[in-house]
């Protein structure tokens, strides 16, 4: 029995030993060293160029000329033009409505009669004065005075003629004012009278907007003025071009004009400077146009600014930490570079120092970038997995290059 137990124990020991030796000498499967995905980015090779700035602003479209039309004579409105309607366009000199003229015709006739009578009196006084001069010449008793020659009566008659002429002119003017006319090419914004209504002198009858020229007041902060050539009064060549964008019939449209002046002061409420742009023929009445620039439309403006040499323009998406960008070194490594930004807008920043011609700038945002980080440019192939290495090979050659933080060993 004891012998059998010993033999069984020996067999078990030998089996365990064989298994242990086999496991100790078994070649381990190769471990795979894998490069994690590098950030995929877009890049831009930059070059200094001359850049013309565009300065953004906005504002509502208003008429350059607008007027409240008032009645200059009293009376009942006897006739109204078919053009005298809100929203209608009228030309300079078009009759809007007519005030009953009967009384003013009578006043004109009376003024004409008074003038004729005054002229007759003047002629009589003139003849009497001449006759008195002749009679005194026959007597020959020295120089005759004004009383002898009836000069005061002549002057009085002459003054009466002048007064009658003034009354006639006033009567003619009042009669003409019974026909209320448009003072310029205009859009009728509103009207307050109609047929049969009685109006008094000074009563507002309509409000007109001139259609020759539209204006837009464009507010700008002081820092933006450095990028503009401000218009000089009376020198049209100095007027910057401006592009206006707005909505008409549900679609965005563009109109073009010029900045013709500044308002000359800084607004106290908001500390802004206002420029004024003009747009000729906004409703397209003189030229065929299907897209009118209506008064009251709110528009965005791009004002043509100054041109500066040697600037680099890059997308705003390339900017990091307010004044840094990423450039490519050694084909696929990034480096943080500080730049000097002189101006930026919604989509673009302009740099005058910090980058050189030929620099390759990363335009895709990267989360937490550091110097030396490996990236992959758009269009390049992904790095391939490296072939497996045994533990012995890793131990012999050194594990993984510790200097490259982007390589990891899968245990």
């Amino acid at each position: 029995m004891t012998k059998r137990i010993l033999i069984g124990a020996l067999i078990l020991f030998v089996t365990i030993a064989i298994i242990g030796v086999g496991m100790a000498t078994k070649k381990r499967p190769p471990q795979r060293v894998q490069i994690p995905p590098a950030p995929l980015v877009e890049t831009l090779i930059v070059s200094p160029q001359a850049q013309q700035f565009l300065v953004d602003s906005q504002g509502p479209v208003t008429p350059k000329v607008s007027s409240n039309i008032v009645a200059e004579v009293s009376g009942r409105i006897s006739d109204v033009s078919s053009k005298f309607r809100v929203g209608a366009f009228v030309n300079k000199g078009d009759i809007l409505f007519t005030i009953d003229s009967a009384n003013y015709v009578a006043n004109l006739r009376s003024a004409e009669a008074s003038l004729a009578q005054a002229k007759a009196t003047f002629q009589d006084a003139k003849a009497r004065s001449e006759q008195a001069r002749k009679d005194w010449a026959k007597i020959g008793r020295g120089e005759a005075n004004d009383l002898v020659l009836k000069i005061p009566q002549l002057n009085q008659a002459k003054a009466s003629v002048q007064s009658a002429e003034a009354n006639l002119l006033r009567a003619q003017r009042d009669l003409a004012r019974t026909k209320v006319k448009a003072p310029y090419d205009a859009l009728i914004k509103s009207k307050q009278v109609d047929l049969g209504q009685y109006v008094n002198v000074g009563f507002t009858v309509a409000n007109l907007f001139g259609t020759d020229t539209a204006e837009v007041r464009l507010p700008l902060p002081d820092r933006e003025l450095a990028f503009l050539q401000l218009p000089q009064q009376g020198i049209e060549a100095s007027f910057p071009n401006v592009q206006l964008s707005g909505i008409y019939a549900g679609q965005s449209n563009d109109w073009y004009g010029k900045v013709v002046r500044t308002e000359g002061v800084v607004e106290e409420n908001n500390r802004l400077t206002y420029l004024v742009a003009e747009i000729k023929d906004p409703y397209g009445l003189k030229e065929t146009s299907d897209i009118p620039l209506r008064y009251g439309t709110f528009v965005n403006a791009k004002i043509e600014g100054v041109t500066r040499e040697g600037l680099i323009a890059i997308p705003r998406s390339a900017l990091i930490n307010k004044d840094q960008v990423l450039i490519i070194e050694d084909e696929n490594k990034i480096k943080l570079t500080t730049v000097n930004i002189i101006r930026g807008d919604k989509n673009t920043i302009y740099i005058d120092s910090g980058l050189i011609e030929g620099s390759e700038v990363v335009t895709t945002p990267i989360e937490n970038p550091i110097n030396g980080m490996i990236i992959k440019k758009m269009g390049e192939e992904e790095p391939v997995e490296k072939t497996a290495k045994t533990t012995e090979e890793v131990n012999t050659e050194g594990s993984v290059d510790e200097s490259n933080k982007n390589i990891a060993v899968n245990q």
Side-chain angles (χ1 to χ4, degrees):
M1 180 65 68
T2 301
K3 185 177 180 179
R4 290 180 179 178
I5 293 173
L6 291 175
I7 294 172
L10 179 60
I11 293 172
L12 180 60
F13 176 77
V14 171
T15 302
I16 293 173
I18 292 172
I19 294 173
V21 171
M23 293 181 64
T25 58
K26 181 179 178 182
K27 189 175 181 179
R28 294 187 177 184
Q31 296 178 340
R32 305 185 70 82
V33 179
Q34 185 177 16
I35 299 176
L40 183 64
V41 299
E42 293 183 340
T43 62
L44 174 68
I45 297 177
V46 299
S47 175
Q49 295 178 351
Q51 301 288 342
Q52 183 176 35
F53 294 116
L54 293 176
V55 178
D56 294 330
S57 187
Q58 64 285 315
V61 180
T62 59
K64 181 179 180 179
V65 179
S66 63
S67 304
N68 289 325
I69 306 302
V70 300
E72 297 181 273
V73 294
S74 299
R76 190 173 303 281
I77 297 176
S78 58
D79 185 59
V80 175
S81 169
S82 60
K83 293 184 177 181
F84 189 51
R85 296 289 181 267
V86 174
F89 295 101
V90 293
N91 298 321
K92 180 179 180 179
D94 284 351
I95 297 175
L96 305 180
F97 60 88
T98 303
I99 296 174
D100 185 10
S101 61
N103 292 336
Y104 299 99
V105 172
N107 291 341
L108 178 60
R109 298 291 180 265
S110 176
E112 291 173 341
S114 297
L115 177 59
Q117 183 178 359
K119 286 182 177 180
T121 303
F122 174 70
Q123 292 297 330
D124 180 68
K126 185 176 180 181
R128 289 176 183 274
S129 177
E130 284 295 326
Q131 186 62 45
R133 186 183 302 279
K134 292 177 181 179
D135 291 344
W136 184 261
K138 291 178 181 180
I139 298 174
R141 295 181 180 179
E143 188 72 25
N145 59 34
D146 289 348
L147 291 176
V148 172
L149 299 179
K150 302 183 182 299
I151 298 300
Q153 292 84 343
L154 178 63
N155 288 339
Q156 183 179 7
K158 184 177 181 180
S160 297
V161 170
Q162 292 175 341
S163 177
E165 289 176 340
N167 289 334
L168 177 60
L169 180 62
R170 187 179 299 110
Q172 291 172 337
R173 183 189 60 187
D174 288 344
L175 179 60
R177 286 175 174 175
T178 60
K179 296 183 182 297
V180 179
K181 300 178 181 180
Y184 45 77
D185 295 346
L187 165 71
I188 299 178
K189 173 63 171 58
S190 63
K191 67 169 190 170
Q192 287 75 41
V193 296
D194 216 326
L195 184 65
Q197 186 171 346
Y198 188 91
V199 295
N200 289 311
V201 175
F203 186 84
T204 299
V205 296
N207 180 243
L208 305 185
F209 284 173
T211 55
D212 282 342
T213 307
E215 286 188 344
V216 184
R217 295 178 74 232
L218 302 173
L220 289 177
D222 184 73
R223 64 178 180 274
E224 292 291 272
L225 299 181
F227 304 102
L228 287 176
Q229 177 183 343
L230 296 180
Q232 302 177 36
Q233 186 174 0
I235 304 177
E236 189 171 349
S238 69
F239 297 168
N241 295 320
V242 60
Q243 176 184 345
L244 306 174
S245 301
I247 302 299
Y248 176 76
Q251 295 184 350
S252 178
N253 294 282
D254 295 330
W255 300 268
Y256 299 89
K258 288 185 177 293
V259 177
V260 298
R261 69 180 189 275
T262 68
E263 293 191 347
V265 296
V266 177
E267 191 75 17
E268 294 182 1
N269 296 333
N270 50 27
R271 312 310 301 170
L272 297 176
T273 298
Y274 281 83
L275 277 62
V276 178
E278 287 187 357
I279 304 90
K280 300 295 184 182
D281 191 23
Y283 282 87
L285 301 178
K286 298 178 181 178
E287 297 180 2
T288 303
S289 176
D290 296 330
I291 308 175
L293 178 57
R294 298 173 297 175
Y295 295 138
T297 302
F298 192 86
V299 293
N300 295 310
K302 290 187 178 296
I303 306 171
E304 185 180 273
V306 298
T307 300
R308 293 194 180 178
E309 302 289 337
L311 297 184
I312 293 175
I314 62 175
R316 180 172 285 277
S317 60
L319 185 62
I320 300 173
N321 300 329
K322 295 184 179 180
D323 63 350
Q324 290 184 316
V325 297
L326 298 174
I327 63 172
I328 304 295
E329 289 189 333
D330 299 332
E331 295 186 356
N332 63 349
K333 293 182 180 180
I334 60 173
K335 177 184 176 182
L336 287 165
T337 301
T338 301
V339 296
N340 184 48
I341 302 172
I342 66 167
R343 188 172 186 270
D345 54 32
K346 182 178 179 181
N347 300 314
T348 308
I349 58 175
Y350 300 93
I351 298 168
D352 65 351
S353 64
L355 294 176
I356 61 174
E357 184 172 2
S359 296
E360 189 171 9
V361 177
V362 177
T363 59
T364 303
I366 298 178
E367 186 176 357
N368 300 323
I370 58 174
N371 289 330
M373 176 184 288
I374 296 176
I375 54 87
K376 186 175 82 70
K377 291 184 283 187
M378 190 73 71
E380 291 184 347
E381 296 181 357
E382 290 279 2
V384 297
E385 292 184 350
K386 291 190 176 181
T387 310
K389 292 186 178 182
T390 64
T391 302
E392 291 79 8
E393 290 173 328
V394 172
N395 291 335
T396 301
E397 300 176 6
S399 37
V400 180
D401 186 359
E402 292 295 328
S403 64
N404 191 342
K405 300 297 183 181
N406 293 306
I407 299 179
V409 177
N410 295 331
Q411 297 294 334

